Every structure is written in C-alpha cells, then in structure tokens.
C-alpha cells in the first residue's frame, strides 16, 4: 500500500516540477517581448509630442524667418502638392487638345501663370517680411516650448525606465519564487525517492537504451532480440536492407507499436531516466523524443509558422477555456512561441517561407520544415525516418548540413534510419546495421563499411 | 516629418485597425440582422414570415458553426445534428411547462447534457471513422427521433410540443415578444462566431487540423486523439443544443418531423456549400440552404403550393457548387471579388490614359 502512495506522490511532484520549469521558461522568454512593447509605446508617444511641439513653434518660426528643417519640410510638402496638381492639369489640357487637334499653348500658358500665383501665395505665407521683435519672441517661445517638451519627454523616459525596472524586477521575483518552489519540491522528491527502491538507471553518456526488443506480426519476426545504446549528443544511424525492421524499431520507441518483449529506457529532458514502455504515444514528446515520418506529414491548411506551432502543443499552459476566450496568457504564449518559431526558421535559412502555405512548396523545403518543426518541442532526441527519401543530391547535401547544425546548435541527439549510404557515412558518429530484425554490427561508419557480415547482408553471401 | 500627413496616416491606421479586426465582419453580419428588425419597427413593410426566416437562419448558423468545427476542423462526419438540436428544444419545452425553470437554468442544463451526450458519441468515434461514424450517428439520430415521437409524456409525441410564446426568464412565466428574442439571437450568434474563431485560431484549432490531416503525426506531436475527438463532439453538441433551446424560445413549437435526417443533411449541405473552414462561408451556406428557401422561395405561392420543388432547387444548388467550387461558395466570392478589383483597376487606368494621355 505504502509504495503505491509513494509512487503517486513522486509522479505528482515530478509533474509539478515540470510545470514550474515551463513557467520559468515562459517568463524568461516573455520578458524581452514585453519590454519591447513598452519601449515602442513610449517612443510613439515621444514622437507625437515632438511633432505637436514643432507645430506650436511653427508660426513663430515663420514670423521670425528662421528656416528650420520642419518648416522647410512642410513648405516642400505644399510645394510638391501644387507642382503635382498642375502637372496633371497640364497633361489633361494637352490630352484634350490633342483629341480636338488644337494647339494647347495658350491654355498651358494660363496654367503656368496660375501656378506661379499659387506658389507666390505659399511663399507669402511661409516667408513673410521679418522684424527683430518677432525674432526675440521666437527665441522666447522656442525656449518655453522646448522646455515643456523636454520635461514631458524626460518624464516619459523616466516612467519608461521605471516600468522596465519594475517589470524586470517582477519577472525576476516571479522566477525566483518559482525557483525556490522548485527547490523545495526537489527536496521532497529526493526524500521520497530515497525511500523507494532503485529507479531505472543508465550509463552517464547514454540517452536511449534498447534492451532485448522483440516485435512480431503474426509469424513474422520484424524485430528479434535487438539491443543497443544511443549516446548523448551523437548522430546515430540505423541501417539495413529493405524489410529489416528499422521503422518497426522507431515505431516501438515512439509507442506506435507495443513490442512483444524488451525494455526501452530514455533519459528525458529533465535528466531523469524513464521507462518508455509505460508511456502513451502522445506523451512521448513531453519526455523529449520527437519524430518525423517517411512521407511528410504537414498540416496543409496552416502556414509554415503555424505548422511549427502545432509541435509546440505540449508546451502551452493555457487550457481549452483559455483558448475559447482568447485569454491573456494564451496571447502572451502565442507571442513567445511565434518568436521562437520564426527564430528557428531563420536559423535553418527558411525565413523566406515563414508565412507561405506548404501546398506547392518543393519537397526538399517541406522536409526541412518538418525538421524545423521537431525543434519546437525542445527535443532531446530527434528520430528521423528516412530524411533523405525522395531528395536529389544537392538537397541531400543541404539536409546533411542542417542535421549537423541542429545537433550542434540545439544540443540534441539524432537517431536516423536511412537508405542513402552516402549520407549515413558522412554524418553519423555511430552506425548500427540490422538485418531481419537482428543486430549485425555496430560501430563507426568505417568499421561498418569494412564489416564482412554487413557486406554479406547487403550484397548476398557467397 | 510632416505633421498633417502623419496625423492623416494615424487616422487611416486607426480605421484600418478597426475594419481589419478579426471580429469586424461578424459585427457587420449581426448589425445587418438587427437592421432588419429595426426597419420593421420603424415601419418598413417586412412580413413576419421574412423576419422569422432571418431568425431561424441565425439559429441554424449557430448549429452550422458547431458542425463546421466537427467536419471542417476535426474531420469527423456526423449526421446526428438533428437529434441534438431536437433534445435542446424538448429540454426547454419540458422544463418550462412542467417545472417552470428559468431559461438560463435550462441553458446550463442543456450544456451539461451536451457534454455528456457529446462525450459518449466522441468516445464511439475513437473506434469508428469516416463513413461508418456517419452511419452510427445517423442511427443515433433516428433513435432520438423515435424517442421524440413515442415519449408522449415529455414530448407530446407527433402532435408537437408548444409553449404558446410563454417563457420563464427569471421566476414567473411571461409572454415574451418575438422581437426581443430576435435581438437576443443575433447577439448570441455574434458571440458564437467570436468563440468559434477563437477556437479555430488557437492551439486547439491547430490540434484539430493536425488530427484531421494525420492521426499518427498528431499523436507524435503530443496531441491526444481521445481528448480532441471528445472535445470536438462536445463543442459541436453544445452548439447544437444551445441552438435548440433558442429555437424553442423563438418558435415556441417543436415537432419530431422537423428533427429528421433531412435537417442533418441540410446542415451538412450548408457547411459544404458555404465552405467548411470559413465562418463567413458557413453564414453564406446557411443562407443559401435555409434562408433562400424560407425567406425568398416561400414568398411565392408557386413554391408554397409545391414544397417539393424547393428541395429540388436546393439539390441542384448543392450539385452545382460541389461540381464547380469544391472549396465552397466562399471561394467563389473571394475569386469574384479579386476579379472585380482587377477589372476596376483596369478601367481606372483606361480612364486615366484617356484623360491625361499616355505616359510617354
């Protein structure tokens, strides 16, 4: 009885710790967006105030005959308007004259005169005769207005700085509180776990461990007593002839199939070892395993960024009612996620396709979008099912570069099944060869290339 | 730099912000509906049948919105809509007549009931997909129809259950003006549209679409099929039952023959004809299937005397739309809008060339 309660408590605490971690992550990511919004708002305000002040100074400038940039700009604006108006009038006159086979000279002349008159009027408004009194008046007024403006602007910047400091402090205090809560929970968890008998353990550098995995469909043994370890941070390739059971292994790891026997252990994003056999299909992603499929599985009705957001589904904290009412938390989360998705797309040089719809994009791009999508869920292990299938040589080279980049920049382990031996030998750190569900050999690409058993399996024995 | 221009731009930007707000279109639709009522109040001769046609169409828009979440987003075909709307009508009728419950309480009860019924059907949908699900829900609808016919103590059987315009708003039964309910219906429709848009644009809507495209990919992305199938059915059932309650309060009469298979098929047709993934499309489709019949065709004595012909008319419309515009009528509207824009631009340039001469 007691161990069951213990177990339940442990899972409860783990869940709470995970939610706290996501909260901390969200707060950290949302801070820059919030700050940017605040600064943009106050910048807009300052711009508006300066414009207003300049408008107030303008009559005095005109009276004093001071040619400031603002005055010149406004004058030029009106001048351009007049020029434009008479340009079109002239064209209309010429066109109508040519239609009637008349000489437009007289009419053009009168138009020119009218235009000159209007420009003169404008000049009179903007550059009237000046007097010294007006100059002193201008200087006085300018000083007053600029003082006012400066005080207002400094007030705004002050409040802005205050706001920034407050929001930073608030977020920080929130994060601190969360960290404290997390530490407390961790302590409790440690106490609980110390009571319990040994949990699963893995070697330090191993991420995924498959032990004696077997899977048969009826009489066919698709996977037969297979065991291997995937080390942290490496690119692991699983190769084998057609029908060797590679995809079955994948489907067992991601729980689409339930293996007949065998154990699978995985060190998840939080550094805990979990028994994958106990997990459900849709919970695998929460542990940090993301997979792609042989044929691209993209949502065709959504644009590329939204497609990426689908993979972030488990990271959202807002629930259905939040979604229904478009709650504030959801809007904040959407901003954070969108920024992250755009960042990932830029990183993988897919920035041009951000808001494109996937229907009609080249196959190579779609494959890359699928790769980008896996990164949205903060994965620890990415499982790629034949990433190069259907790509040409140039696209495959590109893909190899991107896979290497993902492994390096995002600190992930990559586990792939591939038929393209060139790609496997180029990027993989470790290769495991299987045939008819049985392991043939495992080692570096060179070792596999030179292995006789593997050659036999591929080319047939003598 | 130039103040006048800046202010001008600012105003333009504000107007742009309002007109391009995602809820603006819904507001316009609701406003037009309210205008119909207002014109009648002012004294414009709008017949009571036409007004009722608008009211009923608005109620059916709510049903179609729920159905579009189910069909267009979650990809689940269901023919049980009529039964659910029927339950909503009888809930209000029964509770008002026998217990004198407030309509708000009945709405809460109907939402709770919808959650239970939607949950059950959603649970069935886990094992059965596509056509088979449609047949199962069809069977459910027929069972419900038989229940409506035979549970005489609750539904008054084939004679139909009438309330004679009596409703219990808070405590005492009162005779409620049709116009009030019309306005309330328009406002509820507006909020249902807003809620639908919120669901569609949120992670939940994306999860529905992912599920519709490929269940295995959705599962790999962390989307629980159980949860979202149940959710889709519950949402659509809540919409349907709420619409049923509003229908009963507006029409004050419910008869089992209304809630037959034909109604479910008409809702399906409305969603497909309009465009199953666009809210405006659904409004358009519902007006095409129900509004045209109720509001326009029934005004002519020819169609009144031969009701079967209007069904033929609907059938022809569906065939034409599905043959030429598989994306729904909203696609047609969009393409014609863009074409018209192009034509207008062309004419403008032609006129300019005539007025001002060509550029060189």
């Amino acid at each position: 009885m007691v161990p069951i309660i213990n177990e339940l408590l442990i899972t409860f605490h783990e869940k709470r710790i995970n939610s706290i971690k996501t909260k901390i992550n969200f707060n950290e990511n949302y801070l820059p967006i919030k700050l940017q919004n605040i600064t943009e708002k106050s910048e807009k305000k300052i711009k508006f105030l300066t414009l207003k002040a300049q408008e107030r100074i303008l009559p005095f400038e005109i009276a004093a005959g001071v040619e400031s940039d603002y005055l010149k700009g406004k004058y030029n604006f009106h001048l351009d308007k007049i020029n434009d108006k008479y340009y079109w009038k002239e064209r209309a006159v010429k066109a109508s004259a040519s239609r009637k086979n008349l000489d437009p000279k007289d009419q053009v002349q009168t138009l020119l005169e009218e235009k000159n008159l209007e420009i003169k009027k404008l000049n009179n408004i903007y550059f009237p005769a000046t007097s010294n009194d007006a100059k002193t008046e201008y200087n006085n007024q300018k000083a007053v207005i600029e003082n006012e403006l400066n005080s207002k602007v400094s007030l705004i910047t002050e409040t802005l700085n205050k706001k920034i400091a407050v929001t930073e402090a608030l977020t920080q205090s929130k994060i601190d509180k969360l960290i404290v809560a997390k530490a407390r929970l961790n302590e409790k968890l440690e106490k609980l776990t110390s009571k319990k008998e040994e949990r699963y353990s893995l070697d330090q550098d191993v991420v995924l461990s498959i032990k004696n995995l077997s899977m048969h469909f009826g009489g066919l043994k698709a996977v037969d007593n297979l065991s291997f370890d995937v080390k942290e941070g490496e690119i692991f390739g699983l190769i084998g002839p057609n029908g060797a059971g590679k995809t079955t292994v994948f489907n067992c790891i991601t729980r689409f199939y339930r293996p007949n026997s065998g154990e699978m252990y995985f060190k998840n994003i939080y550094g805990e070892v979990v028994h994958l056999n106990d997990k459900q299909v849709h919970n695998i992603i929460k542990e940090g395993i993301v997979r792609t499929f042989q044929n691209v599985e993209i949502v065709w009705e959504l644009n590329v960024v939204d497609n990426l957001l689908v993979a972030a589904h488990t990271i959202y904290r807002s629930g259905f009612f939040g979604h229904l009412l478009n709650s504030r938390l959801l809007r904040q989360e959407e901003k954070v996620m969108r920024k992250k998705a755009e960042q990932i797309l830029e990183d993988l040089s897919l920035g041009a396709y951000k808001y494109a719809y996937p229907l009609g994009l080249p196959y190579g791009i779609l494959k890359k979008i699928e790769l980008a999508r896996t990164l949205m869920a903060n994965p620890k292990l990415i499982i790629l099912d034949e990433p190069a299938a259907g790509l040409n040589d140039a696209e495959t080279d590109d893909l190899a570069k991107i896979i290497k980049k993902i492994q390096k920049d995002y600190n992930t382990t990559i586990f792939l099944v591939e038929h393209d031996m060139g790609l496997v030998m180029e990027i993989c750190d470790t290769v495991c060869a299987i045939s008819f569900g049985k392991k043939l050999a495992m080692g570096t690409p060179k070792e596999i290339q030179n292995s006789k058993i593997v050659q036999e399996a591929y080319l047939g024995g003598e | 730099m130039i103040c006048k221009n800046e202010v001008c731009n600012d105003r333009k930007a504000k107007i742009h912000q309002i007109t391009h707000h995602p809820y603006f279109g819904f507001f316009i639709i609701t406003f037009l509906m309210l205008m119909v009522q207002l014109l009648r109040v002012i004294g414009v001769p709008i017949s009571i049948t036409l007004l009722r046609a608008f009211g009923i169409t608005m109620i059916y828009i709510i049903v179609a919105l729920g159905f579009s979440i189910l069909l267009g987003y979650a990809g689940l075909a269901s023919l049980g809509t009529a039964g659910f709307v029927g339950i909503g009508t009888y809930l209000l009728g029964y509770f008002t007549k026998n217990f004198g419950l407030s309509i708000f309480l009945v709405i809460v009860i109907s939402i709770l009931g919808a959650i239970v019924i939607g949950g059950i059907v959603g649970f069935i949908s886990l094992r059965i997909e596509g056509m088979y699900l449609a047949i199962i829900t069809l069977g459910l609808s027929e069972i419900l129809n038989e229940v409506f016919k035979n549970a005489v103590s609750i539904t008054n059987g084939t004679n139909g259950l009438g309330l004679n315009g009596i409703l219990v708003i808070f405590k005492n039964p009162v005779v409620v003006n049709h116009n009030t309910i019309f306005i309330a219906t328009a406002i509820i429709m507006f909020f249902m549209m807003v809620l639908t848009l919120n669901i569609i644009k949120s992670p939940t809507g994306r999860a529905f679409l992912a599920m519709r495209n490929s269940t295995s990919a959705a599962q790999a992305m962390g989307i629980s099929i159980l949860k979202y199938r149940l959710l889709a059915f519950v949402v659509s059932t809540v919409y349907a039952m709420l619409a049923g309650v509003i229908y009963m309060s507006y029409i004050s009469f419910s008869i089992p023959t209304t809630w037959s298979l034909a109604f479910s098929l008409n809702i399906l047709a409305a969603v497909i004809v309009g465009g199953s993934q666009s809210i405006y499309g659904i409004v358009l489709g519902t007006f095409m299937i129900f509004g045209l019949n109720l509001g326009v065709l029934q005004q002519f004595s020819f169609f009144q005397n031969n009701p079967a012909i209007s069904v033929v008319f609907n059938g022809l419309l569906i065939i034409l739309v599905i043959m030429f515009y598989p994306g729904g009528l909203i696609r047609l509207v969009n393409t014609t809008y863009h074409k018209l824009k192009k034509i207008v631009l062309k004419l403008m340039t032609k006129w300019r060339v005539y007025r001002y001469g060509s550029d060189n």
Side-chain angles (χ1 to χ4, degrees), chain A residues 55 69-70 88 91-92 95 99 256 282 285 293 297 299-302 309 311 313 320 323-324 334 373, chain B residues 1 3 195 198-199 202 204 206 212-214 216-217 219-222 228 231 277 354-359:
Chain A
E55 194 68 6
D69 282 345
Y70 184 70
W88 288 111
R91 268 184 75 164
R99 257 183 275 130
F256 278 97
H282 56 265
I285 198 169
F293 291 83
E297 296 282 11
V299 186
W300 302 103
E301 291 95 340
L302 296 175
L309 292 184
H313 187 79
F320 174 69
H323 298 170
L324 194 64
E334 286 273 275
R373 189 169 64 175
Chain B
M1 178 136 190
C3 183
L195 292 184
N198 284 349
I199 293 176
S202 74
T204 306
R206 277 182 240 128
R212 182 181 126 116
N213 269 271
S214 151
S216 48
Q219 278 176 315
M221 234 86 75
Y228 283 94
L231 194 61
Q277 289 184 359
Y354 172 77
R355 176 97 169 76
Y356 297 116
S358 57
D359 271 331

Side-chain angles (χ1 to χ4, degrees), chain A residues 263-422:
Chain A
E263 311 295 324
M264 298 175 291
Y265 298 105
F266 175 66
K267 203 181 280 170
N268 68 7
I269 14 175
Y270 309 115
E272 300 145 5
V273 178
V274 289
H275 192 210
L276 284 182
N277 297 43
D278 305 337
K279 300 284 171 193
Q280 279 188 307
V281 189
H282 56 265
N283 286 334
I284 288 290
I285 198 169
K286 284 184 195 163
E287 308 297 333
I289 300 180
V290 194
R291 71 168 289 176
T292 64
F293 291 83
Q294 257 179 43
N295 39 342
V296 285
E297 296 282 11
I298 276 177
V299 186
W300 302 103
E301 291 95 340
L302 296 175
N303 64 22
V304 174
V305 168
D306 282 347
N307 258 298
L308 260 66
L309 292 184
V310 172
H313 187 79
T314 49
I315 307 175
Y316 280 92
R317 283 192 293 130
S318 48
F320 174 69
F321 285 101
H323 298 170
L324 194 64
L325 303 173
N326 199 9
S327 68
R328 202 168 142 197
L329 177 65
L330 174 69
R331 276 175 280 154
Q332 289 175 349
E333 278 185 319
E334 286 273 275
K335 270 182 200 162
V336 171
M337 297 295 174
R338 256 168 219 285
K339 207 178 172 194
K340 189 179 168 189
E342 281 169 13
Q343 189 59 44
I344 287 171
L345 287 174
E346 295 284 350
D347 275 4
L348 302 188
S349 59
L350 288 167
Y353 303 103
K354 258 186 224 171
Y355 297 109
Y357 280 83
L359 207 65
L361 289 184
Y363 196 66
I365 300 289
L366 292 180
K367 282 261 174 190
K368 275 199 222 167
I369 290 169
E370 264 211 322
L371 263 179
R373 189 169 64 175
T374 60
L375 293 174
M376 277 307 286
N378 305 326
K380 188 159 185 193
L381 176 70
I382 299 176
I383 300 184
L384 303 175
D385 201 351
E386 303 204 11
L391 300 185
N392 63 28
D393 288 352
E395 284 173 332
T396 308
D397 286 347
D398 211 21
L399 192 80
K401 267 181 217 158
I402 282 185
I403 291 174
K404 280 251 167 200
K405 192 182 154 81
I406 287 173
Q407 179 220 8
K408 222 191 264 167
D409 293 358
Y410 292 86
N411 296 323
T412 54
T413 312
I414 287 166
F415 179 12
L416 54 88
V417 156
E418 190 46 73
H419 272 302
D420 189 328
M421 281 306 139

